[in-house]
Amino acid sequence: MTQTDPPPLTVVRPGEGPTGDLGAIGVQFKLWGHDTGGALSIVEHPFPVGALVPPHLHTLEDEYSIVLEGEIGFRSGDREVVLGAGGYITKPRGELHAMWNAGSVPARMIEIISPAGFEHFFREVAELAADGSATAERGAELIERYGLRFAEPDWLPGVIDRYGLATS
């Protein structure tokens, strides 16, 4: 029997972790793929009132969300739900989904990404936003590299109207 070194211990205290602006929502990085042997990564997303993450799907990872504060609406495939603090939802790869602040106060959720890797998309988007170098071409390259697909389903205008969401 061969003894191996245990994985490194990672400690992220409440409120710690680098942050960034993704446009409609923010991101705070909690666990990176290198912290978990590539199994998963974890980020937190603050959702300002009116925030909408447009419909998209992932081709490389699954996402699992836990609402921490406020109310967040989710649409995945043909299912729609609004979850308050303590609510969980799965968003499987290959299925179109969107998220939005469904309430009148700021909201926040944890996003577990499996396998890890997509946290670097968030990092790169936040870096482009911070240094002002974002362009449509750079955005398209990131979207392609990270296996994202965007769409405008027929249900989107209804969600925007019902919740008074910002679209830019």
Side-chain angles (χ1 to χ4, degrees):
M1 188 166 169
T2 305
Q3 185 173 358
T4 60
D5 292 332
L9 178 65
T10 302
V11 176
V12 182
R13 299 189 191 287
E16 289 184 346
T19 62
D21 180 7
L22 302 177
I25 64 171
V27 63
Q28 185 168 36
F29 299 94
K30 298 298 185 174
L31 294 178
W32 299 82
H34 64 263
D35 297 320
T36 67
L40 59 89
S41 59
I42 300 177
V43 299
E44 286 186 24
H45 291 300
F47 276 68
V49 173
L52 167 68
V53 176
H56 63 282
L57 65 82
H58 300 261
T59 61
L60 304 175
E61 59 277 318
D62 300 301
E63 293 180 308
Y64 309 91
S65 299
I66 307 162
V67 178
L68 298 174
E69 298 172 353
E71 294 180 311
I72 298 179
F74 298 90
R75 174 87 184 218
S76 192
D78 61 359
R79 299 168 310 271
E80 185 176 314
V81 66
V82 173
L83 296 173
Y88 288 67
I89 192 168
T90 61
K91 296 175 296 198
R93 77 185 78 188
E95 185 169 85
L96 190 68
H97 63 276
M99 300 160 286
W100 60 90
N101 184 325
S104 59
V105 298
R108 189 166 54 102
M109 73 177 202
I110 292 172
E111 190 88 272
I112 300 167
I113 304 160
S114 175
F118 193 69
E119 72 276 20
H120 294 289
F121 173 82
F122 295 138
R123 177 188 50 80
E124 290 190 58
V125 169
E127 288 172 354
L128 291 175
D131 69 17
S133 64
T135 64
E137 293 79 22
R138 292 183 86 176
E141 187 273 325
L142 283 177
I143 288 166
E144 182 62 29
R145 184 159 31 101
Y146 286 96
L148 282 177
R149 305 292 180 264
F150 285 87
E152 291 192 25
D154 58 4
W155 50 259
L156 183 59
V159 167
I160 291 168
D161 290 344
R162 281 197 310 279
Y163 295 96
L165 304 175
T167 56
S168 58

